[in-house]
Amino acid sequence: MTDLLPDFIEPERRRGRGAGQNPPSRYDRQTAHRVDDGWDRDPDTPERTRVEIDQSRTILARNRSPDVPFDRSINPYRGCEHGCIYCFARPTHAQLGLSPGLDFETRLLAKPRAPELLAETLRRKNYDCQPIAIGTNTDPYQPVEKQWRIMRGILQVLWEHRHPVTITTKGALVTRDIDILRRMAREGLVRVTLSLTTLDSHLSRAMEPRAASPNRRVAAIKDLVRAGIPTCVGIAPVVPGLTDHEIEGLLQTAADAGADYATFISLRLPLEVSPLFQDWLKREYPDRAARVMARVREMHGGKDYDPTWHQRLRGTGVYANVIARRFELARKRLGLDRPVKELRTDLFKCPPRAGDQLSMDL
């Protein structure tokens, strides 16, 4: 039987978590629910984070989506302790036989061999160097990275190979690696995007409970910029009826912090994310729940989510167009729309290692 919590999770057990439910994997033929028989653990004990080893033998994930600007990515972790209730990556946990709900935040898989696997991949004769995107699915700087240090190992390998990388994160822990990022930035090999959703600390704590606070993310932008690291801000996601009124304020804050570019993505609710988000919304903001979902459906053709290419990230219709127009006007006014310099690929080389044949070049 699958080790699942009840659909409804007691407040104390989900303290510091985003999801209030733990629905079964959609791939399960049978579902199971844990029943309190009086021998279970204390229901007031908060759910702990458990980390297992991911035994994957490859590290690069290939992407063929026509509406994203990268063709390869790395995910050091599966699942994300940040617990963002809106996270579009939650459904991927069902592929592991785990729940996209609380399991996604508490039952993580780490890839400690990622740096080793990456080095092997980069040394292949047919490898074609193009920027690797990290943080496009789950966050490489989520809290467990402080202990596992997988992302730092990956960065070290990328630097040794002079390989370009883009990083997206909500984690202020990114500043720990400024020493490597600074060296990469001097060679035109890195760009970092800090994701900002809201400046409201109460809303942030409820919506993305273990991500860095808005103030810490803004401070991280300042630290990265002072170190000479190209830094972008991503307003992601814009939640209609809940955070969309902050667009101009978020962009102003990013510009004041020194960010040189800005992007945005509207809320998207694929598969299990929709019921999890709606449950959270009714629990945390019952007075706004109906309005928020009405706006979401208006932006997705009457549905909770429309996966159509080139529409899924921003939506369609009048309200979606208003959000996009506001963003573009503010971005242009603040100088956050300047062309971004492409990362260099011409510096890529494999460092020598013991046993390599010596070059005959003079």
Side-chain angles (χ1 to χ4, degrees):
M1 293 181 68
T2 306
D3 182 21
L4 293 174
L5 296 171
D7 289 340
F8 173 78
I9 303 169
E10 300 88 346
E12 284 303 312
R13 293 188 67 173
R14 56 177 164 79
R15 187 172 62 199
R17 306 295 181 177
Q21 298 179 346
N22 209 45
S25 164
R26 63 185 177 278
Y27 298 110
D28 287 349
R29 293 183 178 181
Q30 296 179 330
T31 62
H33 299 275
R34 189 179 284 167
V35 177
D36 183 8
D37 59 2
W39 290 92
D40 201 2
R41 63 181 181 174
D42 185 351
D44 293 336
T45 302
E47 192 73 16
R48 292 183 178 181
T49 300
R50 291 177 282 173
V51 183
E52 300 178 15
I53 303 298
D54 187 308
Q55 302 293 346
S56 298
R57 298 181 181 180
T58 59
I59 193 59
L60 279 189
R62 295 289 178 170
N63 169 66
R64 295 182 177 84
S65 303
D67 55 355
V68 293
F70 60 88
D71 69 351
R72 66 200 70 182
S73 63
I74 293 176
N75 295 295
Y77 303 95
R78 304 181 77 171
C80 188
E81 198 177 9
H82 280 162
C84 303
I85 190 58
Y86 51 73
C87 183
F88 66 88
R90 284 182 177 273
T92 62
H93 235 45
Q95 299 166 6
L96 305 175
L98 298 172
S99 173
L102 192 62
D103 282 352
F104 179 77
E105 309 170 40
T106 60
R107 299 185 63 178
L108 313 181
L109 276 75
K111 303 178 182 179
R113 291 190 62 222
E116 173 190 346
L117 293 171
L118 176 60
E120 292 175 0
T121 299
L122 299 185
R123 296 187 72 87
R124 292 174 182 167
K125 291 183 179 180
N126 63 347
Y127 181 76
D128 172 40
C129 178
Q130 293 297 326
I132 292 174
I134 306 181
T136 58
N137 197 47
T138 57
D139 202 308
Y141 287 106
Q142 57 182 288
V144 293
E145 166 63 16
K146 189 173 183 179
Q147 172 189 352
W148 287 81
R149 298 174 68 85
I150 298 172
M151 181 60 181
R152 184 169 178 85
I154 290 172
L155 286 178
Q156 189 63 51
V157 170
L158 292 172
W159 166 240
E160 291 169 355
H161 289 75
R162 301 304 189 268
H163 194 294
V165 62
T166 62
I167 301 168
T168 302
T169 183
K170 291 182 174 69
L173 184 60
V174 64
T175 58
R176 177 202 64 187
D177 295 335
I178 278 180
D179 57 330
I180 302 176
L181 296 173
R182 181 190 286 116
R183 294 197 294 269
M184 297 186 75
R186 288 172 182 163
E187 302 291 337
L189 295 171
V190 67
R191 170 166 287 276
V192 177
T193 297
L194 261 293
S195 177
L196 282 178
T197 311
T198 177
L199 296 176
D200 183 331
S201 58
H202 174 79
L203 173 57
S204 177
R205 194 178 306 112
M207 191 164 57
E208 30 195 39
R210 298 201 177 194
S213 69
N215 287 341
R216 290 183 63 204
R217 286 183 234 179
V218 173
I221 294 174
K222 294 178 180 179
D223 289 343
L224 292 168
V225 170
R226 278 195 293 264
I229 300 161
T231 306
C232 167
V233 65
I235 313 301
V238 175
V239 183
L242 193 61
T243 68
D244 55 327
H245 66 283
E246 295 191 67
I247 290 174
E248 290 81 3
L250 287 165
L251 290 174
Q252 182 68 63
T253 298
D256 292 344
D260 61 9
Y261 192 75
T263 63
F264 90 92
I265 295 175
S266 292
L267 177 69
R268 46 188 175 135
L269 302 174
L271 300 170
E272 294 94 343
V273 184
S274 181
L276 287 167
F277 178 79
Q278 291 187 63
D279 173 71
W280 173 87
L281 194 59
K282 292 174 182 177
R283 186 173 71 244
E284 298 289 342
Y285 294 92
D287 58 324
R288 307 188 204 181
R291 181 178 63 177
V292 170
M293 289 310 301
R295 292 298 192 189
V296 168
R297 291 171 183 132
E298 180 183 340
M299 295 170 65
H300 291 278
K303 299 177 289 187
D304 290 356
Y305 177 61
D306 179 3
T308 303
W309 299 127
H310 305 294
Q311 296 181 10
R312 60 185 183 139
L313 301 181
R314 296 196 172 186
T316 59
V318 174
Y319 201 75
N321 292 338
V322 168
I323 288 177
R325 180 62 174 162
R326 286 174 52 202
F327 175 84
E328 293 299 336
L329 287 174
R331 183 171 76 152
K332 183 176 182 180
R333 174 174 55 82
L334 295 167
L336 294 172
D337 63 340
R338 292 185 289 268
V340 173
K341 189 174 182 180
E342 291 188 6
L343 299 180
R344 297 183 66 176
T345 58
D346 59 307
L347 300 178
F348 174 70
K349 63 179 181 179
C350 292
R353 61 181 180 180
D356 283 352
Q357 182 175 345
L358 297 178
S359 172
M360 298 299 292
D361 295 337
L362 298 178

